Amino acid sequence: MALSTRLASALRPALAALCRAAPGQRRGLSTPPGPEPTLDLGGIFPPLATPFSALREVDYAQLEANLRRYASIPFRGLVVLGSTGEHPYLAPRERLEVLSCVRRALPRDRLLLAGSGCECERGERGEHGGAASPRDVPHRSATSPATQATVELTVSMAEAGADAALVVTPCYYRGAVSSAALVRHYTEVAEASPIPVVLYSVPANTGLELPLEAVLALAQHPNVIGIKDSGGDITRVGLLVHKTRQEDFQVLAGSAGFLLASYAVGAAGGVCALANVLGAPLCQLERLCRQGCWQEARDLQHRLIEPNAAVTRRFGIPGLKKAMEWFGYYGGPCRAPLAPLSPAQVEELRGTFSTNGWL
């Protein structure tokens, strides 16, 4: 059964009931009972693609040009140095420079989330030019190098203007990483971080899903304020919302493909790669969900499923960057080993956007 058909079948009873309700009875999403969030993550965040020149250097002029175009879209904020930003292929100095560039261009009323998860990489500390050095962050003898490196980079990103840190699961030795080890890792990062921490579970890239019991334990930490969950398991998303409703904790959908379903079970917002391309429609989808216009929201969600799959699972970041160019943004090349699309792949990608009415 096609993904769109399964999604429609799962949600049809609830959506039909809402759409049949009288105008006075139709309501959008309400915030579950619980404490007021210290940092409201409600809304759409594009995880920015990092633009490179033909020589594969970070192209800051094109980054600024993309930011000017994004300024007219009602995003809640931006994410830098996530998976879509090719962060594993950026040097520590480049990561801080990209963050600083975005912070300068971003209005203060929009949030800036920065990916700071590390396996074990440190860099020289400069004026926002690299990760913090071991002298600047107290070192605990029992702290793993990955945890210490994450702490150092998080501190530097806070100084460069990040409002929150998006911390991906350390995964290289995923077969030996237990829930308890992950809780220790994130707890040490959260306790050392001067900014709030958002957990990041992306099993398609890491091969490691942040276990539910670990998330629930970490949700009780006062400096852990949410999770970006990219796994696509709506049962898990709904359970996370339900089990953390008394905590200052928000769940963000990690993909546009299941954004409506995530809102339906109580997610606060979404960090969606497709927002680099179709940011305005994704913000419209959020608005429709919050206003209770479920039929319109469902129709729009259906048109987003295939383009989203094309620029994530099917063609990845090279496909995303190619699609950006069709919508007036700079995409440009990726860094190796990511390769450009073949002509046949470009045509297939274009067809996906065309058949869903976007081109």
Side-chain angles (χ1 to χ4, degrees), residues 155-176:
V155 170
S156 292
M157 288 184 168
E159 293 177 352
D163 295 300
L166 184 66
V167 183
V168 71
T169 49
C171 63
Y172 189 81
Y173 293 109
R174 55 186 173 272

Side-chain angles (χ1 to χ4, degrees), residues 108-192:
R108 290 305 309 186
D109 64 343
R110 296 198 180 187
L111 297 180
L112 180 56
L113 278 58
S116 64
C118 299
E119 291 294 333
C120 185
E121 183 179 68
R122 294 174 180 170
E124 301 79 13
R125 181 182 177 86
E127 183 61 29
H128 305 328
S133 73
R135 296 188 304 274
D136 300 301
V137 179
H139 183 78
R140 300 176 180 86
S141 59
T143 298
S144 76
T147 303
Q148 185 69 12
T150 301
V151 166
E152 292 167 5
L153 186 56
T154 301
V155 170
S156 292
M157 288 184 168
E159 293 177 352
D163 295 300
L166 184 66
V167 183
V168 71
T169 49
C171 63
Y172 189 81
Y173 293 109
R174 55 186 173 272
V177 177
S178 64
S179 288
L182 289 168
V183 170
R184 282 196 303 272
H185 170 76
Y186 278 107
T187 298
E188 291 193 27
V189 173
E191 290 179 352

Side-chain angles (χ1 to χ4, degrees), residues 291-313:
Q291 292 177 347
C293 301
W294 294 103
Q295 182 61 55
E296 297 101 312
R298 185 178 67 178
D299 292 343
L300 180 54
Q301 174 70 89
H302 285 171
R303 295 175 57 214
L304 295 167
I305 291 174
E306 289 180 318
N308 178 75
V311 300
T312 54
R313 295 194 307 270

